[in-house]
Amino acid sequence: MKLIVLPGDCIGPEITDAAMAVLSAVNGARGLGLAFDHDIVGLESLEKHGSTLREGLIARLPSYDGIILGPNHGAIYPPASEGGINYSAYLRTKLDLYANIRPARTPPGKHPHTANPFDLIIVRELTEGHYADRNMHEGVADLMVTPDVAVSLRKVTRFACERIARRACELAMTRDKRVTVVHKANVLKRGDGLFLESARAVAKEFPEITMDDVIVDAMAAWLVRAPERFDVVVTGNLYGDILSDLAAELSGSLGLAGSIMAGDDLCAAQAQHGAAPDIAGQDKANPTSMILSVAMLLEWLGARRGRADLTQAASAMTKAVDQVLADTARCTADMGGSNGTAAFGAAVAREAIQ
Ligand code: ATP
């Protein structure tokens, strides 16, 4: 089984190195037989190849069993015509990685920002919605009508709504069998109405699932007040992006929450947070999100390929993260500790092969 590692921008290389230290340790100790190819995307690729994501690399990606992808600092990319492709967005649509699975859970014994511990998963649709850059066959649906008037079009399809709702229900069947649909159908009666209607239709395929729905603004308040109320949350692209940052920070830090972008045949591990340019190159970033994302990729592969050893390796990595997080001194600065990115990764790697 072969994975490709693309570290990306700013803190990307540091958190990817830390995650790879853990994965390599587990791979060796458990004889998983994983092989790795390494390549570049983002600013380094722009400098070397004139594009943040080159054609030859895109064509090769589906031949891998999985992708380990660092964050991109798209805000400073030149226009796409000059090689500045937002590779995260591009790969989501090009490879149809439509399901963004974003867990947020408080580490055992620690819930500094909430009254109670919580453990929820946000399932976010990635290929359409408010993100106008991925809504058109040709061109971009984010337009200047006059220099002072902008129009951004949202696309919502029954197909995409139903398949993301189905993934959420399947996930809930492995957990507490509860799904909450987050929307704004009271105002966006067609677009969000279609999302809600599709989710309810899919829920009928899962008679054991209890489905409720919450309006997105109320959801922000509910997450702060009582995040333990939720099990699996399914929502559109933009709401999912915002709510998952909120849930991750409530769990302790933006650097804590793992994430995968899954299609039907291919999956990419990518940390929930962005490229964090303010702390890049300083060995300060918390690599937990990237380590847990890689663990989620192993879990996804374990389920897809019937490889129990990968599933077990994923839970060993997650347990090792919990053990290090439980000891504040070994945490990174965002969690009140004094370890740097690399030392945290090394500590998790040691725990993972105990
Ligand atoms: P994007 O638009 O790509 O999501 P963003 O600009 O919204 O990115 P992030 O890069 O996700 O923001 O991070 C916001 C801030 O949170 C960072 O500036 C950084 O201070 C902090 N942060 C993010 N990730 C981490 C991490 N892994 N460890 C510690 N702090 C982090």
Side-chain angles (χ1 to χ4, degrees):
M1 202 173 269
K2 199 178 245 185
L3 309 181
I4 183 162
V5 185
L6 306 166
D9 299 329
C10 306
I11 62 169
E14 299 164 72
I15 59 170
T16 305
D17 280 354
M20 289 309 293
V22 181
L23 182 57
S24 302
V26 169
N27 187 30
R30 291 173 176 259
L32 300 177
L34 298 175
F36 305 105
D37 271 358
H38 297 262
D39 211 316
I40 53 172
V41 287
L43 294 167
E44 192 185 351
S45 174
L46 184 68
E47 203 178 307
K48 284 200 180 129
H49 304 297
S51 169
T52 53
L53 181 64
R54 36 191 229 289
E55 283 297 331
L57 177 59
I58 300 168
R60 261 170 46 222
L61 291 178
S63 70
Y64 289 96
D65 295 285
I67 304 169
I68 295 173
L69 186 65
N72 67 283
H73 190 24
I76 63 162
Y77 286 2
S81 56
E82 292 166 33
I85 300 162
N86 176 334
Y87 60 80
S88 303
Y90 187 86
L91 293 178
R92 286 166 188 179
T93 38
K94 181 84 182 168
L95 304 176
D96 203 22
L97 304 175
Y98 62 87
N100 193 193
I101 313 294
R102 295 190 149 189
R105 82 185 159 93
T106 45
K110 279 189 181 175
H111 49 92
H113 304 319
T114 53
N116 296 304
F118 69 93
D119 176 356
L120 60 84
I121 300 185
I122 294 176
V123 177
R124 167 191 173 203
E125 205 290 324
L126 275 184
T127 58
E128 54 181 44
H130 287 98
Y131 282 65
D133 63 337
R134 59 205 70 170
N135 281 345
M136 303 284 278
H137 169 60
E138 222 177 85
V140 174
D142 193 29
L143 309 159
M144 294 307 294
V145 178
T146 75
D148 302 310
V149 179
V151 174
S152 303
L153 294 176
R154 178 167 68 135
K155 182 179 77 179
V156 183
T157 64
R158 193 179 300 278
F159 171 74
C161 296
E162 286 187 355
R163 72 175 174 174
I164 199 67
R166 204 164 277 118
R167 295 296 88 77
C169 288
E170 286 163 3
L171 192 57
M173 287 300 291
T174 67
R175 293 170 51 95
D176 208 24
K177 301 188 174 63
R178 289 182 292 123
V179 176
T180 301
V181 188
V182 173
H183 61 88
K184 187 81 183 171
N186 53 330
V187 176
L188 299 166
K189 291 186 196 304
R190 310 233 154 36
D192 280 16
L194 180 56
F195 191 89
L196 182 58
E197 179 191 318
S198 306
R200 285 178 175 156
V202 166
K204 294 199 175 107
E205 299 167 18
F206 298 84
E208 290 174 63
I209 295 276
T210 306
M211 182 175 275
D212 66 354
D213 68 278
V214 179
I215 292 171
V216 63
D217 41 337
M219 185 65 183
W222 267 114
L223 276 179
V224 173
R225 192 187 308 162
E228 70 278 7
R229 180 186 152 178
F230 301 101
D231 180 30
V232 173
V233 173
V234 65
T235 191
N237 208 338
L238 183 62
Y239 307 151
D241 191 22
I242 296 166
L243 293 175
S244 57
D245 265 25
L246 174 60
E249 189 63 29
L250 284 171
S251 78
S253 163
L254 206 48
L256 277 188
S259 169
I260 50 170
M261 311 187 294
D264 288 333
D265 303 311
L266 186 62
C267 178
Q270 188 181 40
Q272 271 195 37
H273 54 76
D278 54 329
I279 54 168
Q282 299 168 41
D283 195 37
K284 273 188 186 164
N286 185 347
T288 299
S289 178
M290 196 64 191
I291 298 169
L292 291 178
S293 303
V294 170
M296 288 173 70
L297 171 60
L298 289 195
E299 198 183 339
W300 187 90
L301 284 168
R304 292 288 154 142
R305 310 282 158 87
R307 291 262 314 256
D309 57 341
L310 295 180
T311 312
Q312 286 152 8
S315 58
M317 287 175 69
T318 307
K319 216 168 123 201
V321 166
D322 282 347
Q323 273 160 340
V324 178
L325 288 177
D327 176 6
T328 300
R330 289 199 290 169
C331 290
T332 43
D334 57 314
M335 295 293 288
S338 53
N339 253 342
T341 312
F344 183 92
V348 175
R350 279 194 299 277
E351 294 287 355
I353 56 170
Q354 287 300 312

